[in-house]
Amino acid sequence: MPSPLLSNYLTHPSPGVLTLGGARMAFVDIESGFWSLRRQLETLLGESAARAVFQQAGADGGASYAAAQGRAEDPQTQRQLFADCLRAYQAAGFGQFEILAENWLPERVTVCGRETFEAWMMSRHGQRARSPVCAYTAGVLVGFLNVVSQRRDVVCIERHCQARGDEACEFDLLPASQAEGQSVIAFTPDPALGKLPEKLDEPQLRETLIRLTENEALLRSVVENARHFAIYRVTLDPASPYGARLTLASPSIRELTGVDDYYDFSNWFKNLHPEDAPRVLEANRRALEQGEPYNQVTRVYHPRQGRWRWVQTVSNPGYDSNGRLTHFDGMVIDLTEQKEAELALQEMNATLEARVQARTEEIERRRATAESLRDIIRMINSNLPLDDFLQQAVELAAKQLGAGACVLHHIDLEQQVVTQTATYGMEGIFEKRSSRPFSAMKPSGGEGYLQALLARQPIYGNYPPLPERVDEIRRDPDIPEAIKRERIALRERYAGSFAVPLYIQDKLYGGMVFYYAEPQEFHEEQIQLGLAFAEQMAVALENAFLRERVALAERSRLARDLHDAVSQTLFSASLIAEALPKLWQRSPETAAQKLEELRQLTRGALSEMRTLLFELRPAALSDTELSDLLRHLANAFTARARLPVELNIEGQPDPPAGVKAVFYRVAQEALNNAAKYAQARQVALHLSGGRERLRLEIRDDGRGFDPLAVPPDSLGLNIMRERAESIGASLQIRSAPEQGTIISLDWTSPRQETL
């Protein structure tokens, strides 16, 4: 069957009004598709032919509208009609227009336009033209002016254009005779425009028909050769499915949508994506019932290609001469490549965001791990008692690994006993510091744990879900009741566990077990973090054991020194006591002096004994006030060195136990140095302060020394500095040869420093 001619769609319902099928609307009125169509026409036909299509469409539209407004013979009324047409064009949204020149034909009329349709579209798409682009607008102006002035020879020259950077578009409308040699837009009236003021002679009519035939061929070529888009018209028909029937369509509809019988409008809705169909049907209903423009992006399944394609369908309503909605003219544009590229970009961005998020989380975990390990190292260097350190360490390890509980075990391979040395989060389950022989590890569920520790391997796993993981313990007759209660309590609270071995110098010390309230995946990073904590704990334990051995050795040394000093003092006191009766008979005054010396020796011996008690029982040190501790040191020093000690105490010194111990040890070391090296005649101790601030000064008038010439570890100076640093105190030593020595120790509570 031959294809219908485009001229079959031309109708002339009333004088001055032309209905040209859907062609003009398809080219001009569809704002959202105008740019795409322009690019397609330029690609298919070239810029000149595309410009001619838009120019002719504008001229026909302008002439059609002007002819419908009536006619006038006098120039004044003609000017008014032209101004009215221009205002209507502006009101339709095609730009802002102003008549600049008051002259009228046969001279010229100049119109200034801003944001004209084509210039606005170029700006919107970020492009700049080399020459004027407003062919459609210029055609409309030519159509307006030729009809209202009852002429055919008025042409338009676009002298300025915003699309190429000018401030405004400027159109000169003048007779063709005045525009020789210039590029103009002329008026070629379509014979279907209705009855024009002047009769058309036969040559003019023939020329018009030739032009119309050429335009028809051009439009047919555009419609039938469209690629990646399609032009169509649907006419309202309440009796048809979906309220309309197709009257014109580009064959490319078949390739775009996969619909073979595309003239059956109902086929357009069969292969819509289920997620898009309700939206599309609702938009189609509103368009047909309310005359709304239609603009929808949807997915359509293409049966031959076996995939979903993306299309954008855009159409605008059309009306007859009585203003009744009769049809929609529109375009279908292929968006598949664009949408697939967008989806690929979105997927790429999502993947990139996921990688960034994962990397950020990994960095955050490593930062938290580093901080936790740093906290472990800080605790190692804090000289905390071993039990306090272990308790803080298991709590820190549990929190860092996201565990609800942590238990540190010591494994005694010789006695074959497992002992809990520190726990966190196990209240109501295990007794603190409980022990269990190796033989009880199987019924307690720890046999695999012990084997993993011996093999120097981590072990981890999740328990069965509740209530199964508890019921299997209850049903096992081989588990003793006491152990059964523990395991039931454990499994009611926790869903999985993870254990790591602790080795000190390649010897098994024990293990750490982490318990989790929720099942875990136990990823590699979690396992490595647990092993890192175990290594740090091993280092901490090794350092703690070394400190204990050093402290024990130091206490033994001091005890020996004090024992020797006490023995020497008591021996001297014994000699004086034996000689006193005879001396009293010969010289009572001398005897009285010896009696006072005896009193000092016995008091010093008593102080030496108390000092020995402090070394053997460190708890006694914290129970004694600092002022009494210094008195005992002074008395013992006097008895041992036979040197008087001036002791001054100001205020009520009451520092924390750790601070008290450091002040006592520094004073003890300073007096020992004075007795051994200073050869002093007098020593003075001055203590002042309270609970938040404390100062101790030890002064002697001995031979002194050059601090710069003495190694830092000589005379116990290094020990005194380390003790001062452990409590954040400041130690200063001032001395010079033959000028004595002054040692000062200053401490301020950290809480006081922040005030």
Side-chain angles (χ1 to χ4, degrees), residues 389-608:
F389 165 77
L390 294 178
Q391 186 60 43
Q392 292 185 25
V394 294
E395 181 176 352
L396 178 64
K399 291 179 178 179
Q400 182 55 42
L401 268 76
C406 180
V407 178
L408 175 66
H409 292 117
H410 171 58
I411 308 296
D412 189 336
L413 295 177
E414 292 183 1
Q415 301 295 326
Q416 294 193 342
V417 173
V418 179
T419 303
Q420 292 183 8
T421 56
T423 63
Y424 169 75
M426 302 301 289
E427 297 79 5
I429 299 178
F430 296 127
E431 295 181 4
K432 291 185 177 180
R433 304 194 67 83
S434 61
S435 298
R436 185 157 294 165
F438 284 6
S439 58
M441 293 301 288
K442 183 175 182 179
S444 64
E447 185 178 29
Y449 166 58
L450 182 59
Q451 292 175 354
L453 296 185
L454 294 172
R456 210 165 186 166
Q457 295 294 324
I459 184 173
Y460 47 85
N462 294 312
Y463 307 139
L466 286 171
E468 180 184 347
R469 65 176 181 243
V470 172
D471 291 341
E472 69 178 9
I473 301 298
R474 285 196 178 102
R475 292 193 300 264
D476 193 335
D478 296 330
I479 303 177
E481 286 301 320
I483 296 178
K484 184 177 292 188
R485 286 193 296 270
E486 289 180 352
R487 295 187 65 182
I488 289 175
L490 180 68
R491 291 197 172 195
E492 286 178 340
R493 190 181 303 179
Y494 299 112
S497 63
F498 163 46
V500 290
L502 255 70
Y503 276 75
I504 299 177
Q505 294 185 351
D506 288 331
K507 293 182 179 180
L508 177 63
Y509 171 82
M512 295 178 70
V513 186
F514 302 91
Y515 294 94
Y516 296 88
E518 299 295 334
Q520 302 290 302
E521 295 182 3
F522 296 110
H523 49 77
E524 182 64 22
E525 186 173 351
Q526 184 178 10
I527 296 170
Q528 292 302 321
L529 180 57
L531 292 171
F533 266 103
E535 290 178 0
Q536 293 299 322
M537 284 289 292
V539 173
L541 288 169
E542 184 177 4
N543 288 348
F545 295 153
L546 288 174
R547 281 199 303 271
E548 284 191 348
R549 286 199 291 269
V550 170
L552 181 61
E554 183 180 6
R555 285 198 298 270
S556 299
R557 178 186 63 81
L558 290 173
R560 287 194 301 271
D561 292 346
L562 289 170
H563 178 270
D564 293 344
V566 170
S567 298
Q568 182 180 355
T569 301
L570 292 177
F571 179 74
S572 299
S574 175
L575 292 178
I576 294 174
E578 290 179 0
L580 266 178
K582 296 179 181 179
L583 187 60
W584 191 269
Q585 294 177 359
R586 292 197 305 268
S587 175
E589 294 180 359
T590 303
Q593 294 177 357
K594 291 296 183 181
L595 186 61
E596 174 61 23
E597 184 177 350
L598 178 61
R599 186 184 66 81
Q600 291 180 359
L601 286 172
T602 55
R603 187 173 61 180
L606 181 61
S607 295
E608 292 278 17

Side-chain angles (χ1 to χ4, degrees), residues 51-212:
R51 181 181 177 86
V53 170
F54 290 113
Q55 170 189 327
Q56 186 62 52
D60 290 348
S64 175
Y65 181 85
Q69 306 310 306
R71 295 172 174 78
E73 300 294 331
D74 63 291
Q76 183 64 32
T77 305
Q78 291 176 354
R79 282 198 294 270
Q80 185 60 45
L81 282 174
F82 179 74
D84 291 342
C85 291
L86 205 57
R87 279 193 294 273
Y89 190 62
Q90 177 173 300
F94 287 90
Q96 302 292 324
F97 298 90
E98 178 184 2
I99 301 175
L100 297 180
E102 292 296 332
N103 298 327
W104 191 245
L105 301 172
E107 296 182 22
R108 70 177 59 194
V109 177
T110 303
V111 177
C112 174
R114 287 183 171 81
E115 300 296 323
T116 62
F117 187 62
E118 297 97 322
W120 171 75
M121 289 295 289
M122 292 287 286
S123 173
R124 182 183 178 190
H125 288 273
Q127 297 196 13
R128 175 170 291 192
R130 295 189 298 270
S131 59
V133 298
C134 303
Y136 180 80
T137 299
V140 170
L141 297 179
V142 166
F144 284 164
L145 194 53
N146 274 290
V147 170
V148 301
S149 64
Q150 303 184 29
R151 304 171 68 103
R152 291 186 181 81
D153 64 335
V154 177
V155 298
C156 179
I157 302 173
E158 186 179 4
R159 299 193 182 277
H160 301 289
C161 184
Q162 282 183 295
R164 64 179 186 182
D166 296 332
E167 183 178 355
C169 297
E170 184 175 309
F171 305 90
D172 266 352
L173 299 161
L174 67 166
S177 60
Q178 299 181 28
E180 292 182 2
Q182 301 187 62
S183 176
V184 301
I185 293 178
F187 176 58
T188 306
D190 194 310
L193 285 173
K195 186 177 179 182
L196 294 176
E198 297 182 14
K199 295 181 180 180
L200 296 173
D201 57 21
E202 185 174 349
Q204 290 175 326
L205 180 59
R206 185 179 298 110
E207 180 182 355
T208 299
L209 291 175
I210 292 173
R211 288 181 178 273
L212 179 60

Side-chain angles (χ1 to χ4, degrees), residues 347-381:
E347 184 177 352
M348 185 183 303
N349 288 338
T351 302
L352 181 60
E353 289 177 0
R355 290 180 179 177
V356 171
Q357 180 67 22
R359 181 60 176 166
T360 302
E361 292 175 355
E362 179 184 356
I363 293 173
E364 179 61 25
R365 285 195 297 268
R366 291 185 177 181
R367 183 194 63 79
T369 300
E371 289 183 356
S372 299
L373 295 178
R374 186 178 60 200
D375 291 340
I376 290 281
I377 295 173
R378 187 183 299 116
M379 286 191 292
I380 292 175
N381 297 325

